[in-house]
Amino acid sequence: MNQPHKSTSSSQEIPPPKGKKLLDQFRDSIRLKQYSYRTEKTYTQWVREYILFHNKRHPREMGVAEINQFITHLVVDRKASASTQNQAISAILFLYRNTLYIELDQSSLNFIRPKKGKRVPNVLSAQEVRVVISSMAGPFKLMTQIMYGSGLRLMECLRLRVKDIDFENHRILVYDGKGGDDRVTMLPDGILAPLREHLARTKAIHQHDLTAGFGSVQMPFALDKKYPAAHKQWIWQFVFPASTLSPDPETKTMRRHHIHETALQKAIRAAAKIAKIDKRVTPHTFRHSFATHLLQNGYDIRTVQELLGHKDVKTTMIYTHVLQRGGLAVKSPHDS
């Protein structure tokens, strides 16, 4: 059996609330840190798998040896990618540190956090972008135009709220992006009119919900406690609402959430197929194309970095590898 865990003097084990199951305690810990619901679901799934892998032993009875066994299983048996391994490691360490209040002796962990290999992003030409977008319709077309025209990530686009669209200054305010940072990016002139029309239809849906006794939206960072009436205000509604009401996973309140990411992913794949694009096309492809086309048009890489919300310019530098003639404008000897 594994040796007892080492706890630091500053980290004391706190007994759990009576009658509360471990995974419920774990969810409470995640919500206390104000992590997203997606992270909560992912982390909970990894902790569940960790426990099941060890035949439902309680994590208090396990430690470094069992974590090493589980990660080895992911690598050897499941051929898990670096990002998948990192997710699992983060979830399990979060459990011990923030739910069980056990500080593991991480020097005994015999794995090294895997680093993602560098990948050249898949990029469409400007003509290919136009063909794919012209094969789309409705809110999916508009969302794709925003991802390409403003450089938004998939979830940043889906989570846009009415207040985040600044028509007067032609800009989009992205709150709590990747890494928890806020940023500002441009709102393309070409989508101003269709976006206004879309919001007019969305406002009518919201008004109908209010009349029917609904109209509530999930508020970020517990702002519903600070502003109790804000959850029904127009400015807080999602720009791209779902077609139906659904119960909030935490409060069970019937609300209109944003369109699910899989719906947009399917719409883009279908449009790429119609357009006969022989490349793998995903929502993120349009963000990659946004960055690459800006660099092709001569914009400074620091400007592109800021628009994308990259913390390190090295991340943005990857797009120099997909420019038409490479990062150094090298000409092939075949063409000399």
Side-chain angles (χ1 to χ4, degrees), residues 291 294-295 297-307 313 316:
L294 284 180
L295 292 172
N297 291 334
Y299 286 96
D300 179 78
I301 196 163
R302 293 285 183 179
T303 300
V304 178
Q305 175 194 0
E306 187 175 336
L307 292 171
V313 72
T316 318

Side-chain angles (χ1 to χ4, degrees), residues 208-272:
H208 180 272
D209 287 347
L210 289 173
T211 303
F214 300 106
S216 174
V217 71
Q218 180 267 333
M219 295 291 287
F221 305 120
L223 284 178
D224 52 339
K225 293 180 175 62
K226 187 174 182 181
Y227 306 110
H231 65 110
K232 287 193 174 184
Q233 292 177 357
W234 164 239
I235 63 170
W236 284 100
Q237 303 304 306
F238 289 114
V239 173
F240 299 106
S243 58
T244 59
L245 297 170
S246 59
D248 185 286
E250 295 181 21
T251 66
K252 307 307 178 185
T253 303
M254 291 299 291
R255 288 175 170 159
R256 193 176 292 276
H257 201 52
H258 58 65
I259 290 175
H260 198 274
E261 63 266 28
T262 56
L264 179 55
Q265 290 165 344
K266 290 177 181 177
I268 287 176
R269 283 200 300 270

Side-chain angles (χ1 to χ4, degrees), residues 302-322:
R302 293 285 183 179
T303 300
V304 178
Q305 175 194 0
E306 187 175 336
L307 292 171
L308 291 173
H310 288 160
K311 292 181 182 295
D312 192 333
V313 72
K314 291 180 182 178
T315 308
T316 318
M317 286 292 291
I318 191 66
Y319 295 107
T320 63
H321 297 293
V322 291

Side-chain angles (χ1 to χ4, degrees), residues 71 75 80-86 89 111-117:
I71 299 302
V75 175
S81 67
S83 60
T84 298
Q85 294 172 54
N86 277 322
I89 295 166
F111 59 82
I112 299 174
R113 286 243 181 194
K115 294 183 179 179
K116 293 182 181 180

Side-chain angles (χ1 to χ4, degrees), residues 33-46:
K33 294 288 186 180
Q34 295 189 333
Y35 286 13
S36 71
Y37 181 64
R38 287 165 61 88
T39 299
E40 177 185 321
K41 286 179 63 179
T42 302
Y43 273 26
T44 302
Q45 182 59 35
W46 279 121

Side-chain angles (χ1 to χ4, degrees), residues 137-315:
F140 298 123
K141 179 177 182 177
L142 193 52
M143 283 187 278
T144 306
Q145 287 175 309
I146 288 176
M147 287 187 294
Y148 174 62
S150 307
L152 268 60
R153 298 178 177 91
L154 169 63
M155 295 310 299
E156 289 173 346
C157 181
L158 292 173
R159 290 173 179 160
L160 282 175
R161 297 180 190 251
V162 174
K163 67 178 184 60
D164 302 335
I165 307 297
D166 184 353
F167 283 102
E168 293 300 318
N169 295 299
H170 293 207
R171 63 180 190 167
I172 294 175
L173 289 78
V174 181
Y175 291 101
D176 192 32
K178 189 173 182 180
D181 293 335
D182 301 340
R183 73 179 190 279
V184 177
T185 186
M186 75 278 282
L187 176 61
D189 293 345
I191 66 171
L192 292 177
L195 183 55
R196 287 184 188 276
E197 294 170 2
H198 168 79
L199 286 176
R201 291 189 293 271
T202 301
K203 191 170 187 177
I205 294 172
H206 176 57
Q207 189 58 51
H208 180 272
D209 287 347
L210 289 173
T211 303
F214 300 106
S216 174
V217 71
Q218 180 267 333
M219 295 291 287
F221 305 120
L223 284 178
D224 52 339
K225 293 180 175 62
K226 187 174 182 181
Y227 306 110
H231 65 110
K232 287 193 174 184
Q233 292 177 357
W234 164 239
I235 63 170
W236 284 100
Q237 303 304 306
F238 289 114
V239 173
F240 299 106
S243 58
T244 59
L245 297 170
S246 59
D248 185 286
E250 295 181 21
T251 66
K252 307 307 178 185
T253 303
M254 291 299 291
R255 288 175 170 159
R256 193 176 292 276
H257 201 52
H258 58 65
I259 290 175
H260 198 274
E261 63 266 28
T262 56
L264 179 55
Q265 290 165 344
K266 290 177 181 177
I268 287 176
R269 283 200 300 270
K273 186 175 181 180
I274 292 171
K276 298 181 180 179
I277 304 296
D278 295 326
K279 296 178 182 177
R280 182 172 178 267
V281 183
T282 69
H284 217 66
T285 302
F286 293 92
R287 175 175 160 89
H288 291 324
S289 302
F290 164 85
T292 304
H293 296 169
L294 284 180
L295 292 172
Q296 285 176 342
N297 291 334
Y299 286 96
D300 179 78
I301 196 163
R302 293 285 183 179
T303 300
V304 178
Q305 175 194 0
E306 187 175 336
L307 292 171
L308 291 173
H310 288 160
K311 292 181 182 295
D312 192 333
V313 72
K314 291 180 182 178
T315 308

